[in-house]
Amino acid sequence: MPAQMMPVGHPDCLTGKTFVISGILDSLMRTDAEDLIKRHGGRITGAVSGKTTFLLVGESCGRSKTRE
């Protein structure tokens, strides 16, 4: 993704936040999304848990990730 289209934020704006990415994202490659989150202090995990702050859901998301 070109630099001018990348979201901008304080370098530590995602510190303490945990993300799970599921499915195919429309605007970012998964690796780009992971790099962006990590660069801003966030953490990536592979499974939803009580520690998950955000679930990024793309097309063809696994159903188990969105169940309550």
Side-chain angles (χ1 to χ4, degrees), residues 32-52:
D32 292 334
E34 290 174 353
D35 289 344
L36 187 62
I37 291 166
K38 290 175 185 176
R39 192 173 332 128
H40 287 85
R43 181 173 173 248
I44 307 287
T45 62
V48 176
S49 74
K51 295 180 180 182
T52 302

Side-chain angles (χ1 to χ4, degrees), residues 3 5 16:
M5 295 179 71

